[in-house]
Amino acid sequence: MGGFTSIVPMAASVLQTGQRIAANQSNAQSRIDQTEAARQAELAEIEAREREDATNREEELRRRQATARARQGASGLMAGGSGSASAVLAGYEKAARQDADQSADAAARNRNRINQQAAWREKSLLRSSQDDTVARLNAWFSKRDG
């Protein structure tokens, strides 16, 4: 009977430790899922901002080109200045492409930063969960062994 009474507390302790470990791992996974959701939201925000900026650039380019064509039509066409107007239009297009490239580069840097931070947070959470599991198991074995 003495052997049975000593195993019951030990089994209860094992069960309790296992439940704590499972709860901690579940909590870590929940925080990882929250981090992933936040990362996805930030990436979606960057994509939306990038699309909006591209639309604004296109509208600005069209507006500048229309203004340049209107000016050319009013004055330059009479004087035969169509060559300079096309150079101005090409310059506007080049500036718009450069702005788009800079914006794309900035968005890529932001995406990389967000992904790196999320990966670091996930590794950190997993590492702390593993450390907690090992610590709980070591504590349990130490208590069991006396």
Side-chain angles (χ1 to χ4, degrees), residues 15 18 20-22 28 35 38 46 49 72 85 104 110 125-126:
L15 181 64
R20 285 183 190 144
I21 290 170
T35 299
I46 288 172
R49 194 175 322 123
Q72 180 211 11
N110 283 339
L125 286 169
L126 289 173

Side-chain angles (χ1 to χ4, degrees), residues 36 39-40 42-43 108-122:
E36 178 62 19
R39 183 183 75 83
Q40 291 295 333
E42 288 181 55
L43 292 176
R109 283 191 304 274
N110 283 339
R111 275 192 222 89
N112 287 339
R113 179 187 51 81
I114 289 167
N115 288 333
Q116 287 173 348
Q117 287 175 346
W120 181 85
R121 280 187 217 117
E122 183 176 345

